[in-house]
Amino acid sequence: MVLFLQVNATRPDAWSGLRRLVFRRPLTWKGREHRSHRKVLKAAIAEMEPYRRIVGPATRQRIRSTLRAALNAAIAQQLITFNPAAHVELEAGKRPKALVRTEERILR
C-alpha cells in the first residue's frame, strides 16, 4: 500500500510537467508539421510510471466471477439474454496466501 501511494504521489508531478509541455504549444495533433510535437508527447507519456498496479491472475478470476454473477442476475431479470463473461477463458490463478500480521509487516 505504501509503495502504491508513493507511486501515485510522484504521478501528479509527471502529469503537471506533461501538461506544461502540452499547453506551451497549441493543442494540435494531426498533420505532418506536428510530428515532432507528437513524438515528444508520446515519449513523455512512455516515461511516466504506471498509474495503477497490474492485477494478477487470481484477481482477474475474482473480477470475472463477480461480473459473471452480476450478468447471470441480469439474465434472471430478463434484462439481457447472453452472458459473455461465462465464455471468457483466463489463465489459472492461485489464491494469495494469507499472511499473519506482525509488527514488522505492519511497519512496512
Side-chain angles (χ1 to χ4, degrees):
M1 181 69 171
V2 174
L3 178 64
F4 180 72
L5 293 175
Q6 289 173 349
V7 169
N8 283 339
T10 60
R11 183 140 176 109
D13 295 334
W15 178 246
S16 64
L18 181 62
R19 191 178 306 135
R20 269 187 257 116
L21 180 68
V22 169
F23 290 119
R24 189 179 323 150
R25 300 173 112 188
L27 287 176
T28 53
W29 186 255
K30 294 184 177 183
R32 188 174 293 168
E33 63 274 6
H34 301 290
R35 184 176 294 158
S36 63
H37 183 59
R38 284 194 305 269
K39 286 183 180 181
V40 169
L41 289 176
K42 286 182 180 182
I45 290 170
E47 290 175 6
M48 294 173 75
E49 294 186 22
Y51 185 66
R52 295 185 182 132
R53 292 186 304 173
I54 298 173
V55 297
T59 305
R60 280 188 231 120
Q61 289 282 355
R62 299 307 318 151
I63 292 169
R64 177 182 166 264
S65 68
T66 303
L67 180 61
R68 194 175 65 221
L71 292 175
N72 281 336
I75 288 174
Q77 295 174 6
Q78 297 181 350
L79 298 173
I80 60 174
T81 59
F82 174 70
N83 186 351
H87 302 283
V88 173
E89 294 181 13
L90 295 175
E91 69 230 30
K94 295 181 180 178
R95 286 187 174 216
K97 186 177 180 182
L99 297 175
V100 178
R101 291 186 181 245
T102 62
E103 288 187 29
E104 181 181 325
R105 285 193 183 124
I106 292 172
L107 293 177
R108 275 195 273 157

Short mmCIF file of all heavy atoms in Angstrom, two decimals, residues 62-90:
data_model
loop_
_atom_site.label_atom_id
_atom_site.label_comp_id
_atom_site.label_asym_id
_atom_site.label_seq_id
_atom_site.Cartn_x
_atom_site.Cartn_y
_atom_site.Cartn_z
N ARG A 62 -11.32 -13.46 -9.85
CA ARG A 62 -12.34 -12.94 -8.94
C ARG A 62 -13.18 -11.87 -9.62
O ARG A 62 -14.39 -11.81 -9.44
CB ARG A 62 -11.70 -12.37 -7.67
CG ARG A 62 -10.90 -13.33 -6.84
CD ARG A 62 -11.60 -14.61 -6.45
NE ARG A 62 -12.97 -14.47 -6.02
CZ ARG A 62 -13.90 -15.42 -6.18
NH1 ARG A 62 -13.59 -16.56 -6.74
NH2 ARG A 62 -15.13 -15.23 -5.78
N ILE A 63 -12.55 -11.02 -10.41
CA ILE A 63 -13.29 -9.99 -11.15
C ILE A 63 -14.24 -10.64 -12.13
O ILE A 63 -15.41 -10.26 -12.25
CB ILE A 63 -12.32 -9.02 -11.87
CG1 ILE A 63 -11.55 -8.20 -10.84
CG2 ILE A 63 -13.06 -8.13 -12.85
CD1 ILE A 63 -10.39 -7.41 -11.42
N ARG A 64 -13.76 -11.67 -12.84
CA ARG A 64 -14.60 -12.38 -13.80
C ARG A 64 -15.78 -13.05 -13.12
O ARG A 64 -16.91 -12.99 -13.61
CB ARG A 64 -13.78 -13.43 -14.55
CG ARG A 64 -14.60 -14.25 -15.52
CD ARG A 64 -13.73 -15.31 -16.20
NE ARG A 64 -14.55 -16.28 -16.86
CZ ARG A 64 -14.89 -17.45 -16.34
NH1 ARG A 64 -14.49 -17.80 -15.14
NH2 ARG A 64 -15.64 -18.29 -17.01
N SER A 65 -15.56 -13.67 -11.96
CA SER A 65 -16.66 -14.34 -11.28
C SER A 65 -17.70 -13.34 -10.77
O SER A 65 -18.91 -13.61 -10.83
CB SER A 65 -16.14 -15.21 -10.13
OG SER A 65 -15.62 -14.41 -9.11
N THR A 66 -17.26 -12.18 -10.31
CA THR A 66 -18.20 -11.15 -9.88
C THR A 66 -19.02 -10.63 -11.05
O THR A 66 -20.24 -10.48 -10.96
CB THR A 66 -17.43 -9.99 -9.22
OG1 THR A 66 -16.65 -10.50 -8.14
CG2 THR A 66 -18.37 -8.92 -8.71
N LEU A 67 -18.36 -10.37 -12.17
CA LEU A 67 -19.06 -9.91 -13.36
C LEU A 67 -20.03 -10.97 -13.87
O LEU A 67 -21.17 -10.66 -14.25
CB LEU A 67 -18.05 -9.55 -14.45
CG LEU A 67 -18.61 -9.05 -15.77
CD1 LEU A 67 -19.41 -7.79 -15.57
CD2 LEU A 67 -17.48 -8.83 -16.76
N ARG A 68 -19.59 -12.23 -13.86
CA ARG A 68 -20.45 -13.32 -14.32
C ARG A 68 -21.70 -13.43 -13.44
O ARG A 68 -22.80 -13.60 -13.95
CB ARG A 68 -19.66 -14.62 -14.31
CG ARG A 68 -20.34 -15.73 -15.08
CD ARG A 68 -19.48 -16.96 -15.15
NE ARG A 68 -19.30 -17.50 -13.81
CZ ARG A 68 -18.17 -17.99 -13.32
NH1 ARG A 68 -17.09 -18.01 -14.05
NH2 ARG A 68 -18.10 -18.46 -12.11
N ALA A 69 -21.54 -13.29 -12.13
CA ALA A 69 -22.69 -13.35 -11.22
C ALA A 69 -23.66 -12.20 -11.47
O ALA A 69 -24.89 -12.39 -11.47
CB ALA A 69 -22.21 -13.33 -9.77
N ALA A 70 -23.13 -11.01 -11.71
CA ALA A 70 -23.99 -9.86 -11.99
C ALA A 70 -24.74 -10.05 -13.30
O ALA A 70 -25.94 -9.74 -13.40
CB ALA A 70 -23.16 -8.58 -12.02
N LEU A 71 -24.07 -10.56 -14.32
CA LEU A 71 -24.74 -10.78 -15.60
C LEU A 71 -25.75 -11.91 -15.52
O LEU A 71 -26.79 -11.87 -16.18
CB LEU A 71 -23.71 -11.04 -16.69
CG LEU A 71 -22.83 -9.83 -17.05
CD1 LEU A 71 -21.76 -10.23 -18.04
CD2 LEU A 71 -23.67 -8.69 -17.59
N ASN A 72 -25.48 -12.94 -14.70
CA ASN A 72 -26.48 -14.00 -14.51
C ASN A 72 -27.72 -13.46 -13.82
O ASN A 72 -28.85 -13.86 -14.13
CB ASN A 72 -25.88 -15.16 -13.70
CG ASN A 72 -25.01 -16.04 -14.55
OD1 ASN A 72 -25.16 -16.10 -15.77
ND2 ASN A 72 -24.06 -16.71 -13.92
N ALA A 73 -27.54 -12.52 -12.89
CA ALA A 73 -28.70 -11.88 -12.24
C ALA A 73 -29.50 -11.06 -13.26
O ALA A 73 -30.74 -11.05 -13.22
CB ALA A 73 -28.24 -11.01 -11.09
N ALA A 74 -28.79 -10.41 -14.19
CA ALA A 74 -29.48 -9.65 -15.23
C ALA A 74 -30.24 -10.58 -16.17
O ALA A 74 -31.33 -10.23 -16.65
CB ALA A 74 -28.47 -8.80 -16.02
N ILE A 75 -29.71 -11.76 -16.43
CA ILE A 75 -30.43 -12.74 -17.25
C ILE A 75 -31.69 -13.20 -16.53
O ILE A 75 -32.75 -13.33 -17.13
CB ILE A 75 -29.51 -13.93 -17.60
CG1 ILE A 75 -28.46 -13.50 -18.62
CG2 ILE A 75 -30.32 -15.10 -18.16
CD1 ILE A 75 -27.42 -14.55 -18.92
N ALA A 76 -31.57 -13.43 -15.22
CA ALA A 76 -32.74 -13.85 -14.44
C ALA A 76 -33.83 -12.79 -14.45
O ALA A 76 -35.03 -13.12 -14.41
CB ALA A 76 -32.32 -14.17 -13.01
N GLN A 77 -33.46 -11.53 -14.52
CA GLN A 77 -34.44 -10.44 -14.57
C GLN A 77 -34.86 -10.13 -16.01
O GLN A 77 -35.59 -9.18 -16.26
CB GLN A 77 -33.85 -9.18 -13.95
CG GLN A 77 -33.57 -9.31 -12.48
CD GLN A 77 -32.85 -8.09 -11.93
OE1 GLN A 77 -32.65 -7.09 -12.62
NE2 GLN A 77 -32.46 -8.17 -10.67
N GLN A 78 -34.37 -10.91 -16.96
CA GLN A 78 -34.67 -10.79 -18.39
C GLN A 78 -34.26 -9.43 -18.95
O GLN A 78 -34.92 -8.87 -19.82
CB GLN A 78 -36.14 -11.07 -18.66
CG GLN A 78 -36.54 -12.48 -18.30
CD GLN A 78 -38.00 -12.77 -18.59
OE1 GLN A 78 -38.77 -11.85 -18.88
NE2 GLN A 78 -38.36 -14.03 -18.50
N LEU A 79 -33.14 -8.90 -18.43
CA LEU A 79 -32.60 -7.66 -18.97
C LEU A 79 -31.68 -7.93 -20.15
O LEU A 79 -31.58 -7.10 -21.07
CB LEU A 79 -31.84 -6.89 -17.88
CG LEU A 79 -32.67 -6.46 -16.67
CD1 LEU A 79 -31.77 -5.86 -15.61
CD2 LEU A 79 -33.74 -5.47 -17.10
N ILE A 80 -31.00 -9.07 -20.12
CA ILE A 80 -30.13 -9.50 -21.21
C ILE A 80 -30.39 -10.97 -21.47
O ILE A 80 -31.02 -11.66 -20.65
CB ILE A 80 -28.64 -9.25 -20.90
CG1 ILE A 80 -28.20 -10.02 -19.65
CG2 ILE A 80 -28.33 -7.78 -20.76
CD1 ILE A 80 -26.71 -9.93 -19.37
N THR A 81 -29.92 -11.47 -22.60
CA THR A 81 -30.15 -12.88 -22.92
C THR A 81 -28.86 -13.69 -23.00
O THR A 81 -28.91 -14.91 -23.08
CB THR A 81 -30.87 -13.00 -24.27
OG1 THR A 81 -30.06 -12.38 -25.28
CG2 THR A 81 -32.23 -12.35 -24.22
N PHE A 82 -27.72 -13.03 -22.96
CA PHE A 82 -26.45 -13.73 -23.15
C PHE A 82 -25.45 -13.22 -22.13
O PHE A 82 -25.35 -12.01 -21.87
CB PHE A 82 -25.93 -13.45 -24.57
CG PHE A 82 -24.57 -13.99 -24.85
CD1 PHE A 82 -24.34 -15.36 -24.95
CD2 PHE A 82 -23.49 -13.14 -25.00
CE1 PHE A 82 -23.07 -15.86 -25.19
CE2 PHE A 82 -22.23 -13.62 -25.26
CZ PHE A 82 -22.01 -14.99 -25.35
N ASN A 83 -24.69 -14.12 -21.53
CA ASN A 83 -23.67 -13.75 -20.56
C ASN A 83 -22.29 -13.96 -21.18
O ASN A 83 -21.77 -15.07 -21.20
CB ASN A 83 -23.82 -14.59 -19.29
CG ASN A 83 -22.88 -14.15 -18.20
OD1 ASN A 83 -22.00 -13.34 -18.42
ND2 ASN A 83 -23.06 -14.70 -17.02
N PRO A 84 -21.66 -12.90 -21.68
CA PRO A 84 -20.35 -13.07 -22.32
C PRO A 84 -19.25 -13.43 -21.32
O PRO A 84 -18.26 -14.06 -21.70
CB PRO A 84 -20.08 -11.70 -22.95
CG PRO A 84 -20.95 -10.75 -22.23
CD PRO A 84 -22.14 -11.52 -21.76
N ALA A 85 -19.42 -13.10 -20.07
CA ALA A 85 -18.39 -13.41 -19.07
C ALA A 85 -18.29 -14.91 -18.82
O ALA A 85 -17.26 -15.38 -18.36
CB ALA A 85 -18.69 -12.68 -17.76
N ALA A 86 -19.35 -15.65 -19.12
CA ALA A 86 -19.31 -17.09 -18.92
C ALA A 86 -18.42 -17.78 -19.95
O ALA A 86 -18.00 -18.92 -19.74
CB ALA A 86 -20.73 -17.67 -19.00
N HIS A 87 -18.10 -17.12 -21.03
CA HIS A 87 -17.31 -17.72 -22.10
C HIS A 87 -15.88 -17.21 -22.16
O HIS A 87 -15.14 -17.55 -23.08
CB HIS A 87 -18.01 -17.50 -23.45
CG HIS A 87 -19.39 -18.05 -23.48
ND1 HIS A 87 -19.64 -19.38 -23.62
CD2 HIS A 87 -20.59 -17.45 -23.33
CE1 HIS A 87 -20.95 -19.60 -23.59
NE2 HIS A 87 -21.55 -18.44 -23.41
N VAL A 88 -15.48 -16.40 -21.20
CA VAL A 88 -14.11 -15.87 -21.16
C VAL A 88 -13.21 -16.90 -20.51
O VAL A 88 -13.52 -17.45 -19.46
CB VAL A 88 -14.07 -14.55 -20.36
CG1 VAL A 88 -12.63 -14.08 -20.18
CG2 VAL A 88 -14.88 -13.49 -21.06
N GLU A 89 -12.08 -17.17 -21.15
CA GLU A 89 -11.10 -18.10 -20.59
C GLU A 89 -9.90 -17.31 -20.09
O GLU A 89 -9.31 -16.53 -20.82
CB GLU A 89 -10.66 -19.11 -21.65
CG GLU A 89 -11.76 -20.03 -22.11
CD GLU A 89 -11.29 -21.03 -23.15
OE1 GLU A 89 -10.06 -21.15 -23.33
OE2 GLU A 89 -12.14 -21.66 -23.77
N LEU A 90 -9.57 -17.53 -18.83
CA LEU A 90 -8.42 -16.86 -18.22
C LEU A 90 -7.43 -17.91 -17.74
O LEU A 90 -7.80 -19.07 -17.52
CB LEU A 90 -8.87 -16.02 -17.02
CG LEU A 90 -9.79 -14.84 -17.32
CD1 LEU A 90 -10.24 -14.19 -16.03
CD2 LEU A 90 -9.09 -13.83 -18.20
#
